[in-house]
Amino acid sequence: SRHFKNQGRKVTLARGTALLRSAAEVYASAVFHNDHTRRKIETLKRHYGDKLNLGGSGVDLYQRLPAEIEGLPSDYDLYPNLGDRAIGFLTRGCPRHCAFCIVPKKEGSPRLVADLDDLLQGGRGNKLILLDDNLLAAPGAESLLEQMASRRIQVNFTQTLDIRLVDRKRADLLKRIHCSNTRFTRRNYHFSLNDCSGLDLVLEKYGLFDFRASDNVEFICMYGYRTTLAEDLERFRFLRSLPGAYVFVQCYQPIPNGPEPSMDGFFDGAVDRLIDELVTVQFTQNMKSMEKYYRWLSRLYAERFGRLHRQLVDTIFRYNNRPGKGRYIETLAGTIRGRVRDER
């Protein structure tokens, strides 16, 4: 938008499938590659035709803006809700090659792309939302952390930090930085835990922080990719054992030409016992996010076994949408119409 505004053109930000009759050119970005996204794209194509320019990781991993446009300052006029918050990248890229992740293909190896002064301009002095893929893996990461700490910048590491790359010095620096949620209303740390590999290492690194409950340590946990129910339970139990930790679950989203989720062995083991144990793992906050996982699991269970797991259903409706419980049972978690005959 900054590029076009510099040419004297008017730019409007629209979300979803907004259909603007007067648009001379339309640029749309799709993050994900799924049926929902494809339906939106088809709607936009029908309306805008040749005026539409499509991009984003959900369309083409390798499409890039010209460097001279990519390097322009952010156009904050399009995002008045940000207020005095800055947003952007200091680094891009990641050295990991997780099969489910597009970053190595899309962004390449870790590298510096901006400095703090590039992002904190126009009166945006000390609130920064960072979109970096893996900041701790980038060259000069400690220098960036030092600057954030010494300048007392509040930072939201919204894409999470790689806890495996933390050492004592980095832990101390991150504790000095006011790590925050996106609204900067409370302290928040963000990590991720997408499978059960390296739990001992995560425990060791976590211990370097001496976290307390007031630190609000959020772990992003992906599900629906290639973990089993037993492994999901192990992850949630592990995180519940960490002081101050809680979960934010995210369902795996496919990427163009990427791996398909594999759920073949998901229900291996004593399934009902595992679910009984799962619903006893209660976090001190953000259980609404866990409800999303419960609903996904309940539907998968119904599709596989043709019945509902009573304790799981009771947990889903313990606090929210209680009037909808009857309909949920009647339709077997939305998988059929009619009444359920066999309910555990």
Side-chain angles (χ1 to χ4, degrees):
S1 62
R2 178 75 67 180
H3 170 69
F4 288 121
K5 285 184 175 181
N6 288 345
Q7 298 175 355
R9 303 173 73 178
K10 180 181 178 181
V11 178
T12 299
L13 175 65
R15 299 184 184 278
T17 52
L19 306 178
L20 307 176
R21 296 182 181 277
S22 60
E25 293 182 62
V26 177
Y27 292 81
S29 178
V31 177
F32 299 116
H33 182 73
N34 52 34
D35 290 340
H36 181 67
T37 296
R38 285 190 285 272
R39 287 194 296 270
K40 284 189 173 183
I41 288 174
E42 290 306 314
T43 299
L44 292 172
K45 283 181 176 179
R46 286 194 299 270
H47 184 79
Y48 291 114
D50 294 339
K51 295 179 181 179
L52 180 64
N53 298 275
L54 284 170
S57 55
V59 174
D60 186 344
L61 289 182
Y62 303 103
Q63 189 175 6
R64 296 286 186 275
L65 289 172
E68 62 272 18
I69 297 179
E70 184 71 43
L72 289 172
S74 299
D75 182 7
Y76 286 110
D77 290 341
L78 291 182
Y79 308 97
N81 290 340
L82 280 175
D84 60 350
R85 295 171 292 174
I87 188 170
F89 293 87
L90 289 172
T91 69
R92 287 184 183 264
C94 180
R96 311 283 185 189
H97 290 277
C98 304
F100 59 82
C101 183
I102 66 172
V103 169
K105 293 180 181 179
K106 183 176 176 62
E107 304 290 0
S109 299
R111 65 197 185 281
L112 189 69
V113 296
D115 60 34
L116 285 168
D117 289 328
D118 291 331
L119 300 185
L120 298 172
Q121 55 181 296
R124 299 169 193 276
N126 72 335
K127 294 179 182 177
L128 176 59
I129 300 172
L130 277 181
L131 306 176
D132 297 44
D133 309 301
N134 193 337
L135 183 139
L136 296 183
E142 287 183 12
S143 175
L144 293 173
L145 297 179
E146 287 273 12
Q147 293 176 57
M148 294 174 200
S150 63
R151 294 170 62 170
R152 298 184 179 181
I153 298 171
Q154 300 178 60
V155 184
N156 169 247
F157 295 98
T158 189
Q159 294 298 98
T160 77
L161 293 165
D162 191 340
I163 197 169
R164 295 166 294 183
L165 298 178
V166 171
D167 56 21
R168 170 61 67 184
K169 181 178 181 180
R170 290 180 170 191
D172 290 344
L173 284 169
L174 287 167
K175 289 289 282 187
R176 286 173 55 200
I177 298 167
H178 194 290
C179 298
S180 301
N181 62 356
T182 55
R183 292 181 295 172
F184 295 89
T185 56
R186 70 172 190 174
R187 183 175 290 276
N188 235 148
Y189 293 84
H190 296 83
F191 302 110
S192 60
L193 189 65
N194 291 315
D195 55 40
C196 291
S197 62
L199 293 185
D200 289 342
L201 179 61
V202 173
L203 180 62
E204 174 192 337
K205 301 296 186 177
Y206 196 86
L208 297 174
F209 290 92
D210 192 25
F211 281 130
R212 301 177 182 179
S214 59
D215 289 316
N216 303 305
V217 187
E218 180 179 273
F219 277 82
I220 309 297
C221 290
M222 183 179 66
Y223 66 92
Y225 176 57
R226 293 185 178 179
T227 57
T228 65
L229 174 59
E231 289 168 338
D232 287 350
L233 173 59
E234 183 181 0
R235 274 192 298 167
F236 296 143
R237 273 180 170 167
F238 171 77
L239 292 176
R240 185 63 185 89
S241 73
L242 302 181
Y246 65 96
V247 302
F248 183 89
V249 297
Q250 287 185 332
C251 189
Y252 171 67
Q253 296 288 342
I255 59 176
N257 303 313
E260 291 296 321
S262 175
M263 307 301 295
D264 292 342
F266 182 79
F267 284 119
D268 286 353
V271 176
D272 291 325
R273 178 182 59 79
L274 290 172
I275 296 178
D276 288 342
E277 294 177 14
L278 172 70
V279 297
T280 67
V281 181
Q282 299 286 310
F283 292 90
T284 57
Q285 59 179 302
N286 209 35
M287 285 303 292
K288 184 68 176 175
S289 177
M290 280 297 293
E291 183 185 315
K292 180 181 177 183
Y293 176 81
Y294 293 154
R295 286 181 175 273
W296 172 83
L297 173 60
S298 181
R299 185 182 180 94
L300 201 66
Y301 182 96
E303 291 172 343
R304 175 68 178 273
F305 300 107
R307 65 178 189 267
L308 295 175
H309 187 287
R310 180 182 292 275
Q311 192 171 352
L312 181 57
V313 173
D314 288 345
T315 302
I316 291 170
F317 290 94
R318 181 175 298 158
Y319 301 113
N320 300 307
N321 192 28
R322 291 179 179 175
K325 184 176 180 179
R327 179 64 177 167
Y328 185 89
I329 293 173
E330 181 183 15
T331 62
L332 203 67
T335 62
I336 63 169
R337 294 186 178 184
R339 293 193 173 276
V340 177
R341 292 174 296 176
D342 182 12
E343 182 184 329
R344 182 177 181 271

